[in-house]
Amino acid sequence: MSLLLPSLGGHRLEQQPTFIRCPVKPENIMSSEKVSIIVPVYNVEKYLAECLNSAILQDYDNIEIIAINDGSTDASLSILEEFRTKHKNMIVKSIPNQGLSVARNTGLEIATGEYILFLDSDDFIEKHTVSTCMKYFRQHQTDIVFFSTSVFFDGVHEDFSNIHKTERATALQNESCSAQFFFTQSIKLKRYQASACFYIYKRDKLNDITFYPSIIYEDNLFTTRLLLEKDNIKVTCITDKLYNRRVRPESIMTQEKQEKHINGFLVVAEELLKLDLAKEKSETGAALNQFVQVMLRNASLTHRLIHDGRLSYRIRQRLIILYTKTRPTPTKIKKILPNIFPELLSIKKSIRTFNTQ
């Protein structure tokens, strides 16, 4: 799962020559290219049939559905086996429970399609999701098609809506551009959506990028690598709402915060700082470091939430090292310091109280 990017401050979108308008023209759907839909499954018996039916009923017929049973202990495996007996294009593989990253990587190892779509097993897609994206792939020779998403709440109060906003920047909608430009402008416009389920990508240039195992927020790392690690990657961003995301109790995003949430943010930050772009004095390099700083801020906030407002020496030291690698500006340092030394916030509050007396 991914965490949506919090506010990063106001920025203006600079004019760039890389945009190409990309309206979809009517055409017959030819299904010569295979699309692999990878569905990791863990204890989702209540939602699984709806998810699988949405993949099976696609109006694009060259599809394989790969369901990875990640050690489910409920009736999920039985549901998968029942679907497999009825649908020849469905593959089911069971593995010991190792988490979402390993399940998706297992699916990637099995997949034979030229294109990949990840579908979480408590969500579902529209009937025309694959066919719509394939039109854009063919017409614009693109490598990744990002689509829009509908969010609905199932047993969760809509207060979570601020966490699960899925609108992309208006300036990026219905456009084709380089992946690096797409990332940079998404960060500037505070609309970077890293969920691996919100796009279909072509495998040929990106096949060696996989999910980091045993962490959460793995999508922040995977999607950012897809966009930045390879040269000459092209992205098309469309407004069609093709994916339906369910916000429910006890999902990774709504569950009570734990140490694994802190570690997920920190691992994502560490791995992204290994990219060459993080060391470059470029607009994209600055955007990448800005995103890493957000991951570090979230790690600090989550640690303080769990530990009554305190930071351990170990976490504080790790934050200092990683923040330093992002090459923050003097202005940014002022904003960063309270994330490393939250005591400064108490001192600042005390000074304000004293001055008002």
Side-chain angles (χ1 to χ4, degrees):
M1 302 294 289
S2 70
L3 187 76
L4 304 187
L5 186 64
S7 174
L8 297 173
H11 296 272
R12 294 176 58 192
L13 176 61
E14 299 175 3
Q15 293 294 322
Q16 293 286 342
T18 50
F19 275 155
I20 303 172
R21 283 285 173 186
C22 52
V24 175
K25 301 175 182 178
E27 66 171 54
N28 294 327
I29 304 299
M30 297 181 62
S31 306
S32 58
E33 296 165 298
K34 183 186 287 187
V35 177
S36 297
I37 302 178
I38 297 175
V39 186
V41 176
Y42 178 70
N43 288 355
V44 284
E45 60 183 7
K46 183 178 177 181
Y47 317 107
L48 187 53
E50 183 178 29
C51 171
L52 295 177
N53 278 322
S54 75
I56 289 164
L57 297 175
Q58 290 295 297
D59 61 6
Y60 184 94
D61 58 18
N62 197 0
I63 289 175
E64 65 176 5
I65 302 163
I66 302 171
I68 306 300
N69 174 45
D70 186 30
S72 295
T73 57
D74 65 357
S76 292
L77 180 57
S78 297
I79 295 170
L80 289 175
E81 294 293 356
E82 182 179 354
F83 270 83
R84 176 166 59 177
T85 60
K86 297 176 181 178
H87 303 283
K88 294 181 180 180
N89 63 335
M90 185 168 174
I91 300 168
V92 175
K93 181 177 177 63
S94 288
I95 61 174
N97 178 251
Q98 298 172 76
L100 185 60
S101 290
V102 172
R104 284 175 172 169
N105 287 341
T106 302
L108 285 171
E109 292 172 2
I110 296 171
T112 59
E114 293 92 344
Y115 298 83
I116 299 293
L117 168 64
F118 294 106
L119 172 58
D120 283 349
S121 51
D122 52 355
D123 300 333
F124 62 94
I125 52 177
E126 296 296 325
K127 182 178 181 179
H128 55 284
T129 294
V130 173
S131 62
T132 298
C133 290
M134 293 307 294
K135 287 181 181 179
Y136 284 99
F137 277 115
R138 294 193 182 104
Q139 293 178 8
H140 302 285
Q141 300 300 302
T142 197
D143 299 297
I144 309 173
V145 173
F146 284 87
F147 42 76
S148 295
T149 307
S150 297
V151 175
F152 64 101
F153 301 88
D154 186 349
V156 173
H157 194 275
E158 293 194 15
D159 286 346
F160 281 99
S161 61
N162 289 331
I163 300 175
H164 296 275
K165 288 181 178 177
T166 58
E167 304 90 348
R168 298 190 191 278
T170 302
L172 295 171
Q173 294 174 359
N174 292 323
E175 303 286 358
S176 289
C177 58
S178 73
Q180 290 191 8
F181 180 74
F182 177 82
F183 173 81
T184 302
Q185 299 305 324
S186 295
I187 294 294
K188 283 186 174 183
L189 297 169
K190 300 174 286 183
R191 283 294 184 268
Y192 183 46
Q193 308 293 333
S195 173
C197 296
F198 293 177
Y199 54 84
I200 296 181
Y201 72 95
K202 196 173 183 180
R203 295 186 73 178
D204 58 351
K205 297 179 185 176
L206 302 165
N207 199 36
D208 58 339
I209 297 177
T210 57
F211 290 88
Y212 194 102
S214 303
I215 65 167
I216 58 175
Y217 305 129
E218 65 285 324
D219 289 7
N220 288 305
L221 177 57
F222 179 83
T223 299
T224 305
R225 289 183 63 199
L226 282 186
L227 292 172
L228 301 183
E229 196 164 297
K230 305 288 185 176
D231 294 328
N232 302 317
I233 300 301
K234 184 179 177 183
V235 166
T236 298
C237 180
I238 65 177
T239 58
D240 305 63
K241 291 190 173 183
L242 303 178
Y243 193 96
N244 296 281
R245 164 131 293 174
R246 186 190 311 270
V247 182
R248 62 180 177 88
E250 293 305 312
S251 69
I252 291 175
M253 297 305 297
T254 61
Q255 66 185 210
E256 185 177 351
K257 296 298 181 281
Q258 305 171 42
E259 293 295 328
K260 65 181 180 181
H261 293 85
I262 303 169
N263 185 62
F265 287 128
L266 292 173
V267 170
V268 169
E270 288 172 340
E271 292 300 312
L272 288 179
L273 285 169
K274 293 177 182 179
L275 297 180
D276 291 338
L277 274 169
K279 304 174 183 65
E280 292 183 6
K281 293 181 178 180
S282 64
E283 192 176 18
T284 303
L288 175 58
N289 281 308
Q290 195 173 2
F291 183 56
V292 171
Q293 289 168 6
V294 171
M295 296 295 100
L296 296 176
R297 185 181 73 184
N298 289 337
S300 174
L301 289 171
T302 305
H303 190 281
R304 284 180 275 160
L305 180 66
I306 296 172
H307 298 283
D308 297 322
R310 298 188 300 272
L311 281 182
S312 68
Y313 174 78
R314 178 181 60 85
I315 291 295
R316 199 190 304 263
Q317 185 179 46
R318 200 169 171 188
L319 287 171
I320 291 172
I321 293 171
L322 294 174
Y323 266 125
T324 301
K325 291 182 179 180
T326 67
R327 298 180 285 116
T329 63
T331 301
K332 184 64 71 173
I333 289 173
K334 293 181 181 178
K335 296 180 180 180
I336 286 172
L337 281 175
N339 296 321
I340 303 173
F341 303 100
E343 300 85 356
L344 293 173
L345 296 173
S346 298
I347 294 172
K348 187 175 181 180
K349 183 178 179 181
S350 298
I351 292 173
R352 284 180 178 175
T353 302
F354 178 80
N355 289 335
T356 58
Q357 290 176 348

